[in-house]
Amino acid sequence: MPANIVVVGSINMGLVTTAERMPSRGETILGEGFHTYFGGKGANQAVAAARLGARVSMVGAVGSDAFGTEYLEYLQAEGINTGHVRTRPGLSSGVATIIVSEGDNCIIVTPGANATVSPDDIEKSRSLLREADAVLVQLEIPAPAVEKVLQTAEEEQTPVILNPAPMQPLAPACWGKAAYLTPNEQEFERLQSEYPAIAGRRENVVVTKGAAGVSVFRADGTEEVIPVRTADVRDTTGAGDTFNGAFATAVAERMSLEDACRFANAASAISVEKAGAQTGMPLRAQIEDRDL
Ligand code: RIB
């Protein structure tokens, strides 16, 4: 039986224009190229888990525009249950507008429908959370919705993996409700300084460190670094999302914490070999072919 995972989070369409240089304020210039990519931390993590064989349901929102329709069809083609992704009439879907020039980029993320994901939506998805082996949530949707996920999953006794990205405030009592926290190094530092109540927490905290792998902390304060073996790094966009989707799959399959980190490291290492957030996310067989 495949692991049953619920991912609650954002759905963004990435709109990428490449140009010889950045335009100045008020200036119009000609671009060199344009492409769209499927992104948003929630959807990225849902796709990562689905490709690794998990049964995935997504909870979130898109706008009543062409991007929303296209994204829903795409998620369904990836085998993801979109029955709990709401379409908001009159709103745009989330978009990340990106200008790439001279090896640099400028990004505006417009949340659109993502900003409307509410505690009421989570309540309506309670039965999904109850039946799941694990729930995965990030912070690209409003804090009250994330807090409701943590509360509801606790009531339904389903473990939550909280990926605090991008970092935003949550009610202090909520942090302790997550079975696993997966910050990157910057997010971990902010957690330590801004939430003294949980600063001492070490149990099931996994800090992702890019090419350096991950640090796993245990309740007794000891730290183990689990290295990652990267090969041809082409684009690290979405590497953290691949890690989280894979980690949630492994947790839902009851792997040990160390094995879950090795599995997720392998998935993210493969994902960076292709351009775009989701393009390089591996299928299960690709991980099994790797020497972890
Ligand atoms: O984690 C990468 C993602 O963050 C991108 O896909 C972009 O949409 C932003 O939401």
Side-chain angles (χ1 to χ4, degrees), residues 10 12 37 39-41 44 96 109 140 237-238 241 277:
S10 57
N12 290 334
Y37 76 90
K41 293 184 192 304
N44 288 347
V109 176
E140 242 178 13
T237 312
D241 296 331

Side-chain angles (χ1 to χ4, degrees), residues 8-164:
V8 185
S10 57
I11 300 169
N12 290 334
M13 190 66 98
L15 314 177
V16 185
T17 300
T18 49
E20 202 183 333
R21 63 179 177 82
M22 296 285 175
S24 311
R25 182 187 284 256
E27 186 188 21
T28 301
I29 62 170
L30 291 179
E32 291 175 332
F34 176 77
H35 68 274
T36 58
Y37 76 90
F38 295 105
K41 293 184 192 304
N44 288 347
Q45 296 182 15
V47 170
R51 291 212 186 143
L52 293 170
R55 190 149 56 92
V56 180
S57 299
M58 172 112 209
V59 179
V62 294
S64 56
D65 53 12
F67 292 146
T69 309
E70 192 186 345
Y71 215 135
L72 286 179
E73 285 170 1
Y74 164 75
L75 290 175
Q76 287 154 12
E78 288 282 344
I80 294 168
N81 169 21
T82 60
H84 291 245
V85 178
R86 279 94 190 169
T87 298
R88 305 291 198 217
L91 285 185
S92 72
S93 295
V95 291
T97 308
I98 304 167
I99 300 174
V100 178
S101 176
E102 300 166 284
D104 218 334
N105 63 28
C106 290
I107 304 179
I108 304 175
V109 176
T110 310
N114 293 306
T116 67
V117 179
S118 69
D120 187 47
D121 292 327
I122 307 306
E123 185 57 41
K124 288 185 180 133
S125 300
R126 179 180 280 274
S127 61
L128 267 190
L129 271 59
R130 180 184 310 131
E131 284 152 22
D133 296 308
V135 175
L136 176 57
V137 65
Q138 324 72 33
L139 299 181
E140 242 178 13
I141 54 170
V146 177
E147 290 163 359
K148 177 72 177 176
V149 169
L150 288 158
Q151 179 62 39
T152 308
E154 183 180 60
E155 288 159 12
E156 300 298 343
Q157 299 184 332
T158 306
V160 177
I161 296 133
L162 171 58
N163 172 222

Side-chain angles (χ1 to χ4, degrees), residues 109-270:
V109 176
T110 310
N114 293 306
T116 67
V117 179
S118 69
D120 187 47
D121 292 327
I122 307 306
E123 185 57 41
K124 288 185 180 133
S125 300
R126 179 180 280 274
S127 61
L128 267 190
L129 271 59
R130 180 184 310 131
E131 284 152 22
D133 296 308
V135 175
L136 176 57
V137 65
Q138 324 72 33
L139 299 181
E140 242 178 13
I141 54 170
V146 177
E147 290 163 359
K148 177 72 177 176
V149 169
L150 288 158
Q151 179 62 39
T152 308
E154 183 180 60
E155 288 159 12
E156 300 298 343
Q157 299 184 332
T158 306
V160 177
I161 296 133
L162 171 58
N163 172 222
M167 196 52 197
Q168 65 156 317
L170 284 185
C174 284
W175 294 99
K177 294 186 194 294
Y180 300 88
L181 287 173
T182 58
N184 65 18
E185 288 172 286
Q186 293 76 26
E187 290 150 3
F188 185 54
E189 250 174 51
R190 283 191 59 188
L191 271 177
Q192 302 287 298
S193 61
E194 293 171 28
Y195 291 93
I198 63 146
R201 173 180 168 159
R202 287 290 184 272
E203 199 177 4
N204 291 346
V205 175
V206 175
V207 182
T208 55
K209 301 167 143 183
V214 298
S215 277
V216 177
F217 291 93
R218 299 213 173 65
D220 63 6
T222 54
E223 174 185 354
E224 183 188 352
V225 176
I226 301 181
V228 63
R229 282 200 289 135
T230 47
D232 298 323
V233 180
R234 177 137 183 242
D235 183 355
T236 57
T237 312
D241 296 331
T242 308
F243 181 92
N244 276 280
F247 182 75
T249 304
V251 165
E253 290 180 7
R254 310 272 183 270
M255 283 188 206
S256 71
L257 186 56
E258 290 76 9
D259 284 349
C261 289
R262 277 186 207 102
F263 180 79
N265 270 348
S268 64
I270 294 170

